[in-house]
Amino acid sequence: REEVFKRDGYSCQKCGSKIKPNPHHIFNFAQFPEKRFELSNSITLCLVHHIEFHKIYGRKDNNLQQLNEFLGLKKLGIK
């Protein structure tokens, strides 16, 4: 968790906010236990955007394509 925040400058990767940073698992926590603690499987989102992501995409079957779409990027570069 702390390493994700450090890597991302304690900033939401959607809006840049440093208020209430949350680690977001790209491949969701419950379905991918082998990826739970991989730094490359997490990104920092503020609480508002973390909640918004899960309202749009749910909490199961999350993936990089959804995150890229949410962030408005063609490719984030995380595998």
Side-chain angles (χ1 to χ4, degrees), residues 24-26 42-43 45 53 57 63-73 76 78:
H24 169 72
H25 289 91
I26 298 166
S42 295
I43 187 169
L45 296 175
F53 177 91
Y57 299 103
N63 59 56
L64 183 57
Q65 183 178 344
Q66 292 169 336
L67 182 63
N68 284 333
E69 182 180 290
F70 181 71
L71 295 176
L73 303 175
L76 189 61
I78 298 174

Side-chain angles (χ1 to χ4, degrees), residues 32-78:
F32 297 92
E34 72 280 3
K35 293 181 179 266
R36 286 180 181 173
F37 301 108
E38 288 182 15
L39 185 61
S40 64
N41 187 44
S42 295
I43 187 169
T44 304
L45 296 175
C46 65
L47 180 60
V48 170
H49 284 118
H50 198 197
I51 291 169
E52 181 182 1
F53 177 91
H54 288 297
K55 280 185 179 178
I56 295 169
Y57 299 103
R59 295 192 169 272
K60 290 186 177 180
D61 301 318
N62 297 135
N63 59 56
L64 183 57
Q65 183 178 344
Q66 292 169 336
L67 182 63
N68 284 333
E69 182 180 290
F70 181 71
L71 295 176
L73 303 175
K74 291 183 180 174
K75 187 173 183 181
L76 189 61
I78 298 174

Side-chain angles (χ1 to χ4, degrees), residues 1-26:
R1 176 182 171 109
E2 190 64 26
E3 290 300 313
V4 173
F5 293 158
K6 283 181 190 177
R7 181 197 66 204
D8 295 343
Y10 293 85
S11 299
C12 176
Q13 299 303 291
K14 173 114 174 126
C15 71
S17 173
K18 292 184 182 248
I19 299 171
K20 296 186 181 180
N22 276 235
H24 169 72
H25 289 91
I26 298 166

